[in-house]
Amino acid sequence: MSDIPGENDQPDPSDPLDSFDEIIDAETTRDPDLAVIEAGSRTLRTQGGPPEADIPARPEDPEVDAALREVEAELATRWGETKLEPSVARIAALMDVLGEPQRSYPSIHITGTNGKTSTARMIEALLGAFELRTGRYTSPHVQSITERISLDGAAISAERFIETYQDIKPYVEMVDARQEYRLSFFEVLTGMAYAAFADAPVDVAVVEVGMGGSWDATNVIDGDVAVVTPIDLDHTDRLGSTPGEIATEKAGIVKQDATVILAQQPVDAAQVMLKKAVDVNATVAREGLEFGVVARQVAVGGQLVTLRGLGGEYTEIYLPLHGAHQAHNAAVALAAVEAFFGVGAQRPEPLDIDTVRKAFAAVASPGRMEVVRRSPTVVLDAAHNPAGARVTAEAVGEAFQFSRLIGVVGASGDKNVRGLLEAFEPVFAEVVVTQNSSHRAMDADELAGIAVEVFGEDRVQVEPRLPDALEAAITLAEEEGEFAGGGVLVTGSVITVGEARLLLGKG
């Protein structure tokens, strides 16, 4: 079933999309009508469409905005997230001088290749629905650096972000002076998150690794529950060239006597994880055996799923996210929260079904199959590796009945770009290749060379500027006429998606 726009979803002649340069200059916050028709199930009749994503805009107060930019500039002087020295020595030293804030609350630790952020958001929503105060740490951010640290389901304010940075800055400098290398950008942010959670204080932290597991900066916590989303090939230069090798690194988050929630995995990755669990006396729950997706059907704005958890079956759950992969993420998230509450171990009864339904219905995952414009429909998805691209290609075909889909792809140079493009080739009628503003972005002409080999010259258009690429893609999607069902999918990088989201009037 495709998303059906409301009868008022007609193009506005004054729509700022007519001039992308104006959008950049004004950073307009136009919020197009994204209402969708309610799905037919009785459990969905109160739903008005997908929840709005919680992406904060720049601070309106000029002084606060200036202070935030100053913090961002200071953080930018540190090693970026792609430059690593595999060790937790520096972050451990920072935690020591801060008084071990990460020990003041229980935590759920998430690793894997794809699906980590969406799963973290689902876990956060479930815990919040059961009246626990949550802290969530995820990366990278879509638009605002403050997104990375959330309290009670919302990004911390710019003021609190600045205050947290200033609070730990003297300790960061102290550790810098004692270490061979200064703390990295990601290490400082991790320290900020753990300090903010302790200061709140939170009842439970939901923490996504940055990369890998054992030497990731987040791995100074001892997660009561370790979650492993599907493992595939990514960051092979740092983590290994097979799923099994990558799993060896990611297994580092599994701690003594923990519970491991294991999504469906390649055989070699599963073997590594199970061996690690035996070594540390951890309990394992496996998707497809102890928990999983029982049934799912497409609904307007998302899907209706039945999940089998550790404590039983949970029926008629509305999930306002598209794709089979999100249903599997939901099963993993549910099992993680059940394990946190002791369901299936200390207590036999399942979680309250109405609370579970309420929590899932409120989930949003910005930049993940997110509709940001109608007429034509523009969808954003942050797929940046072949595995992610494959599930996105499948999801867009299932959720939307596009007669003609135009891709806008801007990728990072350190990714398997050919594999990503090959995954999208069957679903893109044409592709507009571009580049985002990151120094890691692959040059548009270089990307075009690979795209021509995959798609053929007639199906590739090059627009180095992202605003021009969006405008070109929308024009191509409209070629068949207003009601022909053309669409645009913007993908290839979280940065590309974030910049497109801003250009399209969101945030």
Side-chain angles (χ1 to χ4, degrees):
M1 181 185 301
S2 63
D3 280 3
I4 305 174
E7 60 183 21
N8 294 323
D9 287 323
Q10 300 298 324
D12 182 348
S14 63
D15 191 331
L17 285 167
D18 291 340
S19 173
F20 285 98
D21 289 335
E22 291 180 15
I23 298 174
I24 297 172
D25 294 338
E27 289 194 4
T28 179
T29 57
R30 183 183 67 88
D31 189 8
D33 179 12
L34 298 182
V36 296
I37 297 174
E38 295 177 356
S41 167
R42 62 181 176 81
T43 63
L44 307 185
R45 294 193 187 280
T46 60
Q47 298 300 320
E52 281 295 309
D54 58 337
I55 297 294
R58 295 297 310 185
E60 294 184 2
D61 186 324
E63 292 185 5
V64 175
D65 187 49
L68 179 60
R69 291 184 187 277
E70 183 177 342
V71 170
E72 291 170 324
E74 289 187 19
L75 289 170
T77 66
R78 298 181 174 274
W79 276 1
E81 290 173 280
T82 59
K83 186 173 182 180
L84 304 167
E85 193 276 321
S87 167
V88 294
R90 292 175 301 280
I91 188 67
L94 179 60
M95 293 297 100
D96 181 53
V97 297
L98 289 175
E100 304 291 345
Q102 82 283 13
R103 308 290 182 199
S104 63
Y105 39 80
S107 55
I108 297 175
H109 207 176
I110 307 170
T111 190
T113 301
N114 291 310
K116 296 188 294 295
T117 297
S118 293
T119 302
R121 285 177 168 271
M122 293 179 197
I123 292 172
E124 172 190 53
L126 284 163
L127 293 169
F130 284 99
E131 300 184 350
L132 292 183
R133 187 163 204 204
T134 59
R136 172 173 52 84
Y137 181 52
T138 53
S139 60
H141 56 273
V142 177
Q143 284 178 209
S144 171
I145 194 172
T146 60
E147 295 166 37
R148 295 179 180 233
I149 305 173
S150 291
L151 294 172
D152 295 322
I156 64 173
S157 66
E159 292 86 348
R160 191 162 191 166
F161 187 91
I162 295 163
E163 181 183 353
T164 302
Y165 176 75
Q166 296 298 342
D167 284 346
I168 75 164
K169 182 178 177 180
Y171 301 97
V172 169
E173 293 172 345
M174 187 186 306
V175 172
D176 284 344
R178 296 175 180 175
Q179 298 290 322
E180 181 179 2
Y181 304 106
R182 296 170 71 214
L183 287 154
S184 70
F185 170 88
F186 187 73
E187 287 169 334
V188 175
L189 280 175
T190 301
M192 290 173 59
Y194 289 162
F197 296 163
D199 185 60
V202 301
D203 297 315
V204 55
V206 182
V207 178
E208 173 191 337
V209 303
M211 185 187 301
S214 61
W215 45 255
D216 186 75
T218 63
N219 202 31
V220 288
I221 57 172
D222 293 325
D224 300 78
V225 178
V227 176
V228 187
T229 66
I231 293 173
D232 212 299
L233 300 182
D234 199 11
H235 302 296
T236 53
D237 56 330
R238 298 179 178 91
L239 302 179
S241 58
T242 68
E245 291 176 357
I246 293 171
T248 300
E249 171 58 33
K250 293 182 182 293
I253 74 163
V254 179
K255 304 300 173 60
Q256 189 72 33
D257 300 321
T259 300
V260 183
I261 305 301
L262 195 61
Q264 292 180 344
Q265 303 291 347
V267 173
D268 56 346
Q271 289 173 337
V272 169
M273 286 294 172
L274 293 172
K275 183 179 184 301
K276 178 59 182 285
V278 171
D279 291 343
V280 298
N281 196 37
T283 302
V284 179
R286 300 155 294 178
E287 184 182 7
L289 294 174
E290 285 78 26
F291 70 93
V293 179
V294 175
R296 56 181 294 271
Q297 63 186 70
V298 178
V300 175
Q303 54 193 304
L304 190 66
V305 299
T306 296
L307 304 177
R308 185 177 73 253
L310 305 179
E313 198 163 284
Y314 298 79
T315 62
E316 294 187 309
I317 295 172
Y318 175 63
L319 183 65
L321 301 172
H322 297 290
H325 62 295
Q326 293 291 17
H328 289 283
N329 289 339
V332 169
L334 176 61
V337 173
E338 285 183 308
F340 182 79
F341 285 125
V343 174
Q346 290 86 13
R347 50 180 285 190
E349 69 274 9
L351 300 176
D352 178 71
I353 183 64
D354 289 333
T355 305
V356 170
R357 286 172 178 156
K358 178 182 177 182
F360 276 120
V363 169
S365 194
R368 278 77 180 177
M369 289 293 291
E370 181 185 14
V371 177
V372 293
R373 187 187 190 268
R374 302 286 186 183
S375 301
T377 297
V378 178
V379 183
L380 308 181
D381 192 87
H384 56 273
N385 55 45
R390 286 192 293 271
V391 297
T392 296
E394 180 181 351
V396 77
E398 175 187 85
F400 305 94
Q401 294 178 346
F402 293 131
S403 59
R404 176 181 173 83
L405 180 61
I406 309 300
V408 175
V409 178
S412 296
D414 58 349
K415 296 295 182 180
N416 181 356
V417 174
R418 179 179 296 276
L420 181 141
L421 292 172
E422 287 174 345
F424 283 123
E425 191 276 332
V427 298
F428 286 165
E430 297 183 55
V431 61
V432 181
V433 297
T434 187
Q435 64 190 75
N436 58 55
S437 64
S438 169
H439 67 280
R440 295 172 55 202
M442 176 175 281
D443 178 79
D445 289 332
E446 182 182 354
L447 179 57
I450 301 172
V452 166
E453 293 176 5
V454 174
F455 288 85
E457 188 172 354
D458 292 344
R459 295 168 63 194
V460 177
Q461 182 170 333
V462 186
E463 295 290 350
R465 297 179 66 252
L466 181 57
D468 297 336
L470 292 172
E471 189 168 25
I474 289 171
T475 300
L476 288 170
E478 290 175 332
E479 281 185 353
E480 293 183 341
E482 183 178 356
F483 301 106
V488 174
L489 175 64
V490 183
T491 189
S493 163
V494 175
I495 298 169
T496 300
V497 163
E499 293 180 357
R501 200 173 189 276
L502 179 61
L503 288 166
L504 292 164
K506 302 292 289 182

